[in-house]
Amino acid sequence: MTELNKLTLSDARDALRKGETTSVELTEACLKAIDAADALNAFVHKTPEIALERAKAADARIKAGDAPAMCGLPIGIKDLFCTKGVDSQAASGILEGFKPEYESTVSQQLQDSGAVMLGKLNMDEFAMGSSNETSVYGNAVSPWRREGDEAPLTPGGSSGGSASAVAADLCLAATGTDTGGSIRQPAAFTGITGIKPTYGRCSRWGVVAFASSLDQAGPMTKSVRDAAMMLEAMCGHDPKDSTSADLAVPNFEAMLTGDIKGKKIGIPREYRMDGMPAEIEKLWSEGAEMLRAAGAEIVDISLPHTKYALPAYYVIAPAEASSNLARYDGVRYGQRATLEGGDGITEMYEKTRAAGFGHEVQRRVMVGTYVLSAGFYDAYYNRARKVRTLIKRDFEDVFAQGIDAILTPATPSAAFGLGEMIDADPVQMYLNDVFTVTVNLAGLPGISVPAGVDAKGLPLGLQLIGRPWEEGDLLNTAYALEEAAGFVAKPGHWW
Ligand code: GLN
């Protein structure tokens, strides 16, 4: 058998059921890989004792014939998920030392399904960023490098640690969260699969809030089959989250037939951006050809309000963030700044928030507070909400015309170098999300599938956007694309 940490979730599951390996062996292989990969800075809190304890329990369950889908499979958890008794600080200084008394619903469900937590994964602070460079732990590093070049690259963000860890085979899969693209963009940058389900599919309870009307959890995996398997374990109704949908969860994996004959795939003309690299353009048309060859009908469509998505997102997301982050006041959670004699409660808030939040988070809080302020509420926040409705309607219109899924590039470029963008105008960084934010604004499911490499050998991803609640159908189209693209590249092992 290949090295155990290199297995996909589904291969490992099958091997466990056949008794060819044990969860303890799988877990030990991952723990060893993690310890040898500090250069990637992907795992920021390692939990080997918890992992081995859960692995032993999983082996006992498998022996007893009680093996749910994720039983015995070692995974990483993004630091945004609250994990009981284990550091959960959303990569922020303000939550240093925070060990929640509770477990997020998603990580609890994974645990109930037998998954083994290896530790917590690096990310951008409060999930704000596209390169993992806003993290208090320092940036995560991609296992990928450009051919003939040792410059360190970003694994993308905000779920950069998750992407790096899965791509480098430190774990079999990982959880991510996606508010504007944070599962799909890092997945595309590192040659793995990532799905953001329909808003309301996964409970947000116990996931540190960024922008509550946009945030969704999802799996980051080595294959579409793995994404189907893990998503099923993560989602479902949760009375503790009022926006969680009370809908049955289908067996997503059973829907992977690869048959997409007669499906209508839309190609939105507004996603053909000026200055888009030729490689991205080429990959996109090749992807459409692959789906056509598999029997789908390719249809040109229009999503006319696309160009307003990024500005609307960068009003709504900071507005919600500024409100959500008001709770970090030095009283209830994490850190409080050292105070001087004469300091009152106002100074405590100010000093704590100035010391505890990084620059990007402070920028978002300021933008959010501004767009929500009495004088500007209508001009910015309310207008952005109206634009959001128009964007959602664009999608509803094309789905009403019979479109089953929409194919777009996942990102406007391959991974960039660490440090290359951080001093640029922040808007340059925000442009990374141009193809992904529309999906969050409309609450739709979106998946990124690795589909090719650029001239320097770096992975490129394609995004498929599905109808609400039809993740099964979307995963099946992604499966057909995955089969046709046959992406097998792996990063060389340098770390
Ligand atoms: N890059 C986007 C942002 O910084 C999206 C982040 C995310 O999806 N969490 O807001």
Side-chain angles (χ1 to χ4, degrees), residues 78 127-130 157-158 177-182 210 313-314 364 433:
K78 187 178 181 178
M128 298 174 192
S130 299
S158 66
T177 63
D178 191 312
T179 303
S182 282
F210 164 9
Y313 172 85
Y314 278 98
R364 307 271 180 126
D433 309 319

